[in-house]
Amino acid sequence: MTEGLISIIVPIYNTKEYLSRCVKSLQVQTYSRLEILLVDDGSTDGSGELCDRLAEADERIRVFHKENGGSSSARNLGISQAQGEYIGFVDSDDYVDADMYEKLYDAVCRYQVNVAQIGRDEIDPEGKVLPDICIPPERTECIPPEKFMEELLMHRGDCSFCTKLIHRRIFEDWCNEHRGDEDVPKYFPPGVLNEDFHLLVKMLDQIGAIVSLPGQAYHVFYRVGSNSRKETKDVFSRVFADCVDNADMVQEIVSREYPGLLNVAFRFGIFQRLEYMLHIPIGQMTNENEMYVRVVRYLRKNWLRSMKNPILTKKNKVYHTLFAVAPRGVRRIHRKLRG
């Protein structure tokens, strides 16, 4: 480990068209003590070859080629090879402002924290800036774990690891407690689409306070066809089911570590299930679909508790009631109204 060095991990799978822009935004960082780890996750479009060419032109770039295993496995490999004291992540179709890591490093040092984050925006293929998912603070804030958990569960906080700079000891401590059977430790859960939220809520207590900076320095390229946006009439992203599973997981964490947030965690669980019900194709709303049956059963069992929850909105409660009573009928009406 090299003190003060930042290791930026870029998982790559078939993003050759956008990769140079991403890497360029890292090469021009005003914070000079960094290394760029490009992890080619079995690309078939020439991305791997482009990684090698980029590394030949910049000694700060190191390239790793592996069989396709998903973003989590690529990130995990990158962490295991990182030499820096701090670790950051950038998706290969995104890009960042030139001073992003200088700002983040200054924040973790100044506030003596393990993690600092900055805002992000989303940009569509035409260059249009989409509505904000998370609104950054107007001034720098130091957010304690319980408050950060509340912000995440209220869909106001930013769970993305890409907007953060993290001290490597957080991953090392996690590894010591949760090492998998494979040679490469499992930091991010393989095969889970909502992996950032999954890992962050589990790590939050050991992370401690997180410094959140104003402004938006990370730029998400909104690409329809990415893992979390694959949705058609008959196929919808697995991320909605993963979000339901994460809601159950976070309920256990809150019960154990943040009992003051039980109402917030319950609201989160209902909200995630309503999202699932609003997106699942009608053809998959059958008794043979175990996840669907489990969601409907939960909504029916917890209807009264939902009606008494002070945080759920009136709209949430109306949707809950409708989906508990006649889920398939509600979806047919909903689809017709939306055209």
Side-chain angles (χ1 to χ4, degrees), residues 56-105:
E56 290 175 0
D58 191 333
E59 62 182 8
R60 297 174 298 173
I61 297 176
R62 292 193 287 145
V63 178
F64 303 89
H65 300 282
K66 61 182 287 297
E67 293 183 1
N68 181 250
S71 178
S72 288
S73 68
R75 283 177 166 184
N76 291 342
L77 176 59
I79 296 170
S80 71
Q81 298 297 321
Q83 298 175 351
E85 183 183 11
Y86 292 90
I87 295 175
F89 302 90
V90 177
D91 287 342
S92 57
D93 46 0
D94 300 338
Y95 57 98
V96 301
D97 286 353
D99 60 353
M100 173 171 153
Y101 285 101
E102 181 180 9
K103 288 180 177 178
L104 291 173
Y105 184 80

Short mmCIF file of all heavy atoms in Angstrom, two decimals, residues 56-105:
data_model
loop_
_atom_site.label_atom_id
_atom_site.label_comp_id
_atom_site.label_asym_id
_atom_site.label_seq_id
_atom_site.Cartn_x
_atom_site.Cartn_y
_atom_site.Cartn_z
N GLU A 56 -0.15 1.15 -22.69
CA GLU A 56 1.16 1.36 -23.31
C GLU A 56 1.54 2.84 -23.34
O GLU A 56 2.73 3.18 -23.29
CB GLU A 56 1.15 0.81 -24.74
CG GLU A 56 1.11 -0.71 -24.82
CD GLU A 56 0.98 -1.20 -26.25
OE1 GLU A 56 0.93 -0.35 -27.17
OE2 GLU A 56 0.92 -2.44 -26.45
N ALA A 57 0.52 3.70 -23.36
CA ALA A 57 0.77 5.14 -23.47
C ALA A 57 0.80 5.85 -22.12
O ALA A 57 1.11 7.04 -22.06
CB ALA A 57 -0.30 5.78 -24.37
N ASP A 58 0.47 5.15 -21.04
CA ASP A 58 0.41 5.80 -19.72
C ASP A 58 0.81 4.77 -18.66
O ASP A 58 0.11 3.79 -18.43
CB ASP A 58 -1.01 6.31 -19.46
CG ASP A 58 -1.09 7.22 -18.23
OD1 ASP A 58 -0.26 7.07 -17.32
OD2 ASP A 58 -2.01 8.06 -18.19
N GLU A 59 1.93 5.01 -18.01
CA GLU A 59 2.45 4.05 -17.05
C GLU A 59 1.59 3.96 -15.79
O GLU A 59 1.76 3.03 -14.98
CB GLU A 59 3.89 4.42 -16.66
CG GLU A 59 4.02 5.77 -15.99
CD GLU A 59 5.45 6.12 -15.66
OE1 GLU A 59 6.36 5.39 -16.10
OE2 GLU A 59 5.67 7.14 -14.96
N ARG A 60 0.68 4.90 -15.61
CA ARG A 60 -0.21 4.83 -14.44
C ARG A 60 -1.33 3.80 -14.63
O ARG A 60 -2.03 3.46 -13.67
CB ARG A 60 -0.84 6.20 -14.18
CG ARG A 60 0.15 7.30 -13.83
CD ARG A 60 -0.55 8.64 -13.74
NE ARG A 60 -1.15 9.02 -15.01
CZ ARG A 60 -1.94 10.09 -15.18
NH1 ARG A 60 -2.23 10.87 -14.15
NH2 ARG A 60 -2.44 10.37 -16.37
N ILE A 61 -1.50 3.32 -15.85
CA ILE A 61 -2.59 2.39 -16.15
C ILE A 61 -2.09 0.95 -16.06
O ILE A 61 -1.05 0.60 -16.63
CB ILE A 61 -3.15 2.64 -17.57
CG1 ILE A 61 -3.77 4.05 -17.65
CG2 ILE A 61 -4.19 1.58 -17.92
CD1 ILE A 61 -4.27 4.41 -19.04
N ARG A 62 -2.83 0.14 -15.32
CA ARG A 62 -2.58 -1.31 -15.28
C ARG A 62 -3.84 -2.02 -15.76
O ARG A 62 -4.97 -1.62 -15.42
CB ARG A 62 -2.22 -1.77 -13.87
CG ARG A 62 -0.87 -1.25 -13.39
CD ARG A 62 -0.41 -1.99 -12.14
NE ARG A 62 -1.17 -1.60 -10.98
CZ ARG A 62 -1.49 -2.44 -9.99
NH1 ARG A 62 -1.18 -3.72 -10.07
NH2 ARG A 62 -2.14 -2.00 -8.93
N VAL A 63 -3.66 -3.07 -16.54
CA VAL A 63 -4.78 -3.77 -17.16
C VAL A 63 -4.84 -5.22 -16.66
O VAL A 63 -3.80 -5.89 -16.53
CB VAL A 63 -4.64 -3.77 -18.70
CG1 VAL A 63 -5.79 -4.54 -19.34
CG2 VAL A 63 -4.61 -2.33 -19.22
N PHE A 64 -6.05 -5.68 -16.42
CA PHE A 64 -6.29 -7.06 -16.01
C PHE A 64 -7.40 -7.64 -16.90
O PHE A 64 -8.45 -7.01 -17.05
CB PHE A 64 -6.70 -7.12 -14.54
CG PHE A 64 -5.69 -6.50 -13.62
CD1 PHE A 64 -5.77 -5.14 -13.30
CD2 PHE A 64 -4.65 -7.24 -13.10
CE1 PHE A 64 -4.84 -4.55 -12.48
CE2 PHE A 64 -3.70 -6.64 -12.27
CZ PHE A 64 -3.79 -5.30 -11.96
N HIS A 65 -7.16 -8.79 -17.46
CA HIS A 65 -8.14 -9.47 -18.29
C HIS A 65 -8.67 -10.70 -17.54
O HIS A 65 -7.89 -11.45 -16.96
CB HIS A 65 -7.51 -9.91 -19.62
CG HIS A 65 -6.97 -8.78 -20.44
ND1 HIS A 65 -7.78 -7.95 -21.19
CD2 HIS A 65 -5.70 -8.32 -20.62
CE1 HIS A 65 -7.04 -7.04 -21.81
NE2 HIS A 65 -5.77 -7.25 -21.48
N LYS A 66 -9.96 -10.88 -17.56
CA LYS A 66 -10.58 -12.01 -16.89
C LYS A 66 -11.77 -12.52 -17.68
O LYS A 66 -12.29 -11.82 -18.56
CB LYS A 66 -11.03 -11.62 -15.48
CG LYS A 66 -12.07 -10.49 -15.46
CD LYS A 66 -12.45 -10.08 -14.04
CE LYS A 66 -13.30 -11.12 -13.35
NZ LYS A 66 -14.61 -11.32 -14.01
N GLU A 67 -12.23 -13.72 -17.35
CA GLU A 67 -13.46 -14.23 -17.93
C GLU A 67 -14.64 -13.41 -17.43
O GLU A 67 -14.62 -12.88 -16.32
CB GLU A 67 -13.67 -15.70 -17.57
CG GLU A 67 -12.64 -16.64 -18.18
CD GLU A 67 -12.94 -18.09 -17.84
OE1 GLU A 67 -13.95 -18.35 -17.15
OE2 GLU A 67 -12.17 -18.96 -18.27
N ASN A 68 -15.67 -13.33 -18.27
CA ASN A 68 -16.84 -12.55 -17.89
C ASN A 68 -17.48 -13.09 -16.62
O ASN A 68 -17.78 -14.27 -16.51
CB ASN A 68 -17.87 -12.55 -19.02
CG ASN A 68 -19.10 -11.73 -18.67
OD1 ASN A 68 -20.17 -12.26 -18.46
ND2 ASN A 68 -18.94 -10.42 -18.58
N GLY A 69 -17.66 -12.19 -15.65
CA GLY A 69 -18.27 -12.60 -14.39
C GLY A 69 -19.14 -11.53 -13.78
O GLY A 69 -19.67 -11.69 -12.70
N GLY A 70 -19.25 -10.40 -14.49
CA GLY A 70 -20.08 -9.31 -13.98
C GLY A 70 -19.26 -8.22 -13.31
O GLY A 70 -18.08 -8.39 -12.97
N SER A 71 -19.92 -7.08 -13.13
CA SER A 71 -19.25 -5.90 -12.58
C SER A 71 -18.67 -6.14 -11.19
O SER A 71 -17.57 -5.69 -10.88
CB SER A 71 -20.23 -4.73 -12.54
OG SER A 71 -19.64 -3.57 -11.97
N SER A 72 -19.42 -6.87 -10.35
CA SER A 72 -18.93 -7.12 -8.99
C SER A 72 -17.62 -7.88 -8.99
O SER A 72 -16.68 -7.54 -8.27
CB SER A 72 -19.98 -7.88 -8.18
OG SER A 72 -21.07 -7.06 -7.85
N SER A 73 -17.54 -8.93 -9.81
CA SER A 73 -16.31 -9.73 -9.84
C SER A 73 -15.15 -8.91 -10.40
O SER A 73 -14.00 -9.07 -9.96
CB SER A 73 -16.53 -11.00 -10.66
OG SER A 73 -16.69 -10.70 -12.04
N ALA A 74 -15.43 -8.03 -11.36
CA ALA A 74 -14.37 -7.17 -11.90
C ALA A 74 -13.89 -6.18 -10.84
O ALA A 74 -12.68 -5.94 -10.69
CB ALA A 74 -14.88 -6.43 -13.13
N ARG A 75 -14.81 -5.60 -10.12
CA ARG A 75 -14.42 -4.68 -9.04
C ARG A 75 -13.62 -5.42 -7.97
O ARG A 75 -12.62 -4.90 -7.45
CB ARG A 75 -15.67 -4.07 -8.41
CG ARG A 75 -16.32 -2.95 -9.21
CD ARG A 75 -17.58 -2.49 -8.50
NE ARG A 75 -18.08 -1.23 -9.01
CZ ARG A 75 -19.12 -0.59 -8.49
NH1 ARG A 75 -19.76 -1.12 -7.46
NH2 ARG A 75 -19.54 0.56 -8.99
N ASN A 76 -14.07 -6.61 -7.61
CA ASN A 76 -13.37 -7.38 -6.58
C ASN A 76 -11.93 -7.68 -6.98
O ASN A 76 -11.01 -7.59 -6.16
CB ASN A 76 -14.12 -8.68 -6.29
CG ASN A 76 -15.45 -8.44 -5.60
OD1 ASN A 76 -15.69 -7.37 -5.04
ND2 ASN A 76 -16.33 -9.42 -5.65
N LEU A 77 -11.73 -8.03 -8.25
CA LEU A 77 -10.37 -8.26 -8.73
C LEU A 77 -9.55 -6.98 -8.66
O LEU A 77 -8.38 -6.99 -8.23
CB LEU A 77 -10.40 -8.77 -10.17
CG LEU A 77 -9.04 -8.97 -10.85
CD1 LEU A 77 -8.18 -9.95 -10.07
CD2 LEU A 77 -9.21 -9.42 -12.29
N GLY A 78 -10.16 -5.86 -9.04
CA GLY A 78 -9.45 -4.58 -8.98
C GLY A 78 -9.02 -4.22 -7.57
O GLY A 78 -7.89 -3.78 -7.34
N ILE A 79 -9.90 -4.43 -6.60
CA ILE A 79 -9.56 -4.13 -5.21
C ILE A 79 -8.39 -4.98 -4.75
O ILE A 79 -7.47 -4.50 -4.07
CB ILE A 79 -10.78 -4.36 -4.29
CG1 ILE A 79 -11.92 -3.39 -4.65
CG2 ILE A 79 -10.39 -4.17 -2.83
CD1 ILE A 79 -13.22 -3.71 -3.95
N SER A 80 -8.40 -6.25 -5.12
CA SER A 80 -7.33 -7.16 -4.70
C SER A 80 -5.98 -6.77 -5.29
O SER A 80 -4.93 -7.11 -4.73
CB SER A 80 -7.67 -8.60 -5.08
OG SER A 80 -7.58 -8.80 -6.48
N GLN A 81 -5.98 -6.04 -6.41
CA GLN A 81 -4.74 -5.63 -7.06
C GLN A 81 -4.36 -4.18 -6.79
O GLN A 81 -3.28 -3.74 -7.18
CB GLN A 81 -4.87 -5.84 -8.58
CG GLN A 81 -5.10 -7.28 -9.00
CD GLN A 81 -3.94 -8.18 -8.64
OE1 GLN A 81 -2.78 -7.78 -8.76
NE2 GLN A 81 -4.23 -9.40 -8.20
N ALA A 82 -5.22 -3.44 -6.14
CA ALA A 82 -4.97 -2.01 -5.91
C ALA A 82 -3.81 -1.80 -4.95
O ALA A 82 -3.65 -2.54 -3.97
CB ALA A 82 -6.24 -1.35 -5.36
N GLN A 83 -3.01 -0.79 -5.21
CA GLN A 83 -1.85 -0.47 -4.38
C GLN A 83 -2.04 0.81 -3.57
O GLN A 83 -1.19 1.16 -2.76
CB GLN A 83 -0.61 -0.33 -5.28
CG GLN A 83 -0.24 -1.60 -6.02
CD GLN A 83 0.91 -1.42 -6.99
OE1 GLN A 83 1.34 -0.29 -7.24
NE2 GLN A 83 1.39 -2.51 -7.55
N GLY A 84 -3.15 1.49 -3.79
CA GLY A 84 -3.35 2.78 -3.15
C GLY A 84 -3.92 2.71 -1.75
O GLY A 84 -4.52 1.71 -1.34
N GLU A 85 -3.75 3.80 -1.02
CA GLU A 85 -4.34 3.95 0.31
C GLU A 85 -5.85 4.17 0.21
O GLU A 85 -6.60 3.80 1.11
CB GLU A 85 -3.68 5.12 1.05
CG GLU A 85 -4.17 5.30 2.47
CD GLU A 85 -3.55 6.51 3.15
OE1 GLU A 85 -2.89 7.32 2.45
OE2 GLU A 85 -3.73 6.64 4.38
N TYR A 86 -6.26 4.79 -0.89
CA TYR A 86 -7.68 5.07 -1.12
C TYR A 86 -8.12 4.44 -2.44
O TYR A 86 -7.31 4.28 -3.36
CB TYR A 86 -7.95 6.58 -1.14
CG TYR A 86 -7.76 7.23 0.21
CD1 TYR A 86 -6.51 7.74 0.59
CD2 TYR A 86 -8.80 7.31 1.12
CE1 TYR A 86 -6.33 8.33 1.83
CE2 TYR A 86 -8.63 7.90 2.36
CZ TYR A 86 -7.39 8.40 2.71
OH TYR A 86 -7.21 8.97 3.95
N ILE A 87 -9.40 4.12 -2.52
CA ILE A 87 -9.94 3.44 -3.70
C ILE A 87 -11.18 4.18 -4.20
O ILE A 87 -12.03 4.60 -3.42
CB ILE A 87 -10.30 1.97 -3.37
CG1 ILE A 87 -9.02 1.19 -3.02
CG2 ILE A 87 -11.02 1.30 -4.54
CD1 ILE A 87 -9.27 -0.23 -2.58
N GLY A 88 -11.25 4.33 -5.53
CA GLY A 88 -12.42 4.89 -6.18
C GLY A 88 -12.85 3.99 -7.32
O GLY A 88 -12.08 3.13 -7.78
N PHE A 89 -14.08 4.18 -7.79
CA PHE A 89 -14.63 3.36 -8.87
C PHE A 89 -15.26 4.27 -9.91
O PHE A 89 -15.95 5.24 -9.57
CB PHE A 89 -15.68 2.39 -8.35
CG PHE A 89 -15.19 1.45 -7.29
CD1 PHE A 89 -15.27 1.80 -5.94
CD2 PHE A 89 -14.64 0.23 -7.62
CE1 PHE A 89 -14.81 0.94 -4.95
CE2 PHE A 89 -14.17 -0.64 -6.64
CZ PHE A 89 -14.26 -0.28 -5.31
N VAL A 90 -15.05 3.93 -11.18
CA VAL A 90 -15.71 4.65 -12.26
C VAL A 90 -16.18 3.60 -13.27
O VAL A 90 -15.42 2.73 -13.68
CB VAL A 90 -14.75 5.64 -12.96
CG1 VAL A 90 -15.45 6.31 -14.15
CG2 VAL A 90 -14.26 6.70 -11.97
N ASP A 91 -17.46 3.67 -13.66
CA ASP A 91 -17.96 2.77 -14.69
C ASP A 91 -17.43 3.23 -16.04
O ASP A 91 -17.29 4.43 -16.31
CB ASP A 91 -19.49 2.76 -14.69
CG ASP A 91 -20.06 2.01 -13.49
OD1 ASP A 91 -19.31 1.23 -12.88
OD2 ASP A 91 -21.25 2.21 -13.17
N SER A 92 -17.18 2.27 -16.92
CA SER A 92 -16.41 2.55 -18.14
C SER A 92 -17.15 3.37 -19.18
O SER A 92 -16.53 3.86 -20.13
CB SER A 92 -15.94 1.24 -18.77
OG SER A 92 -17.04 0.39 -19.04
N ASP A 93 -18.46 3.55 -19.03
CA ASP A 93 -19.18 4.43 -19.96
C ASP A 93 -19.46 5.79 -19.34
O ASP A 93 -20.09 6.64 -19.97
CB ASP A 93 -20.47 3.78 -20.46
CG ASP A 93 -21.30 3.15 -19.36
OD1 ASP A 93 -20.86 3.21 -18.19
OD2 ASP A 93 -22.36 2.57 -19.66
N ASP A 94 -18.99 6.01 -18.12
CA ASP A 94 -19.16 7.30 -17.44
C ASP A 94 -17.86 8.09 -17.51
O ASP A 94 -16.83 7.61 -17.99
CB ASP A 94 -19.56 7.08 -15.99
CG ASP A 94 -20.89 6.33 -15.84
OD1 ASP A 94 -21.68 6.33 -16.81
OD2 ASP A 94 -21.11 5.72 -14.78
N TYR A 95 -17.89 9.31 -16.96
CA TYR A 95 -16.68 10.13 -16.90
C TYR A 95 -16.80 11.10 -15.73
O TYR A 95 -17.90 11.28 -15.16
CB TYR A 95 -16.43 10.88 -18.21
CG TYR A 95 -17.57 11.77 -18.66
CD1 TYR A 95 -17.55 13.14 -18.41
CD2 TYR A 95 -18.67 11.25 -19.34
CE1 TYR A 95 -18.58 13.96 -18.82
CE2 TYR A 95 -19.71 12.06 -19.75
CZ TYR A 95 -19.66 13.41 -19.49
OH TYR A 95 -20.70 14.21 -19.90
N VAL A 96 -15.68 11.72 -15.35
CA VAL A 96 -15.67 12.55 -14.15
C VAL A 96 -14.99 13.89 -14.44
O VAL A 96 -14.22 14.02 -15.40
CB VAL A 96 -14.93 11.84 -12.99
CG1 VAL A 96 -15.60 10.52 -12.67
CG2 VAL A 96 -13.46 11.63 -13.31
N ASP A 97 -15.27 14.88 -13.59
CA ASP A 97 -14.60 16.18 -13.70
C ASP A 97 -13.13 16.03 -13.33
O ASP A 97 -12.74 15.17 -12.52
CB ASP A 97 -15.25 17.19 -12.77
CG ASP A 97 -16.60 17.67 -13.28
OD1 ASP A 97 -16.97 17.32 -14.42
OD2 ASP A 97 -17.29 18.39 -12.53
N ALA A 98 -12.30 16.91 -13.86
CA ALA A 98 -10.86 16.82 -13.68
C ALA A 98 -10.41 16.99 -12.23
O ALA A 98 -9.36 16.49 -11.83
CB ALA A 98 -10.16 17.85 -14.56
N ASP A 99 -11.20 17.68 -11.42
CA ASP A 99 -10.80 17.92 -10.03
C ASP A 99 -11.56 17.06 -9.03
O ASP A 99 -11.49 17.31 -7.82
CB ASP A 99 -10.95 19.39 -9.68
CG ASP A 99 -12.39 19.89 -9.81
OD1 ASP A 99 -13.26 19.12 -10.33
OD2 ASP A 99 -12.66 21.04 -9.44
N MET A 100 -12.28 16.05 -9.50
CA MET A 100 -13.12 15.25 -8.60
C MET A 100 -12.30 14.59 -7.49
O MET A 100 -12.64 14.71 -6.30
CB MET A 100 -13.88 14.19 -9.38
CG MET A 100 -14.65 13.20 -8.50
SD MET A 100 -15.72 12.13 -9.45
CE MET A 100 -15.81 10.69 -8.39
N TYR A 101 -11.22 13.91 -7.84
CA TYR A 101 -10.48 13.17 -6.82
C TYR A 101 -9.64 14.09 -5.94
O TYR A 101 -9.37 13.75 -4.78
CB TYR A 101 -9.65 12.07 -7.47
CG TYR A 101 -10.53 10.91 -7.88
CD1 TYR A 101 -10.92 10.74 -9.21
CD2 TYR A 101 -11.05 10.03 -6.93
CE1 TYR A 101 -11.78 9.71 -9.57
CE2 TYR A 101 -11.90 9.00 -7.28
CZ TYR A 101 -12.27 8.84 -8.60
OH TYR A 101 -13.13 7.83 -8.95
N GLU A 102 -9.25 15.24 -6.43
CA GLU A 102 -8.58 16.22 -5.57
C GLU A 102 -9.54 16.69 -4.48
O GLU A 102 -9.17 16.78 -3.31
CB GLU A 102 -8.08 17.40 -6.39
CG GLU A 102 -7.35 18.44 -5.55
CD GLU A 102 -6.85 19.62 -6.37
OE1 GLU A 102 -7.20 19.73 -7.55
OE2 GLU A 102 -6.10 20.44 -5.80
N LYS A 103 -10.78 16.96 -4.86
CA LYS A 103 -11.78 17.41 -3.88
C LYS A 103 -12.07 16.32 -2.86
O LYS A 103 -12.17 16.58 -1.65
CB LYS A 103 -13.07 17.81 -4.61
CG LYS A 103 -12.97 19.10 -5.39
CD LYS A 103 -14.30 19.41 -6.08
CE LYS A 103 -14.25 20.75 -6.81
NZ LYS A 103 -15.54 21.02 -7.51
N LEU A 104 -12.22 15.09 -3.34
CA LEU A 104 -12.55 13.99 -2.43
C LEU A 104 -11.39 13.71 -1.46
O LEU A 104 -11.61 13.47 -0.26
CB LEU A 104 -12.90 12.74 -3.22
CG LEU A 104 -14.22 12.79 -4.01
CD1 LEU A 104 -14.38 11.56 -4.89
CD2 LEU A 104 -15.41 12.93 -3.07
N TYR A 105 -10.17 13.71 -1.99
CA TYR A 105 -9.02 13.44 -1.12
C TYR A 105 -8.86 14.54 -0.08
O TYR A 105 -8.58 14.26 1.10
CB TYR A 105 -7.74 13.32 -1.96
CG TYR A 105 -6.54 12.93 -1.14
CD1 TYR A 105 -6.33 11.60 -0.77
CD2 TYR A 105 -5.61 13.90 -0.73
CE1 TYR A 105 -5.22 11.25 -0.01
CE2 TYR A 105 -4.51 13.55 0.02
CZ TYR A 105 -4.32 12.22 0.39
OH TYR A 105 -3.23 11.87 1.15
#
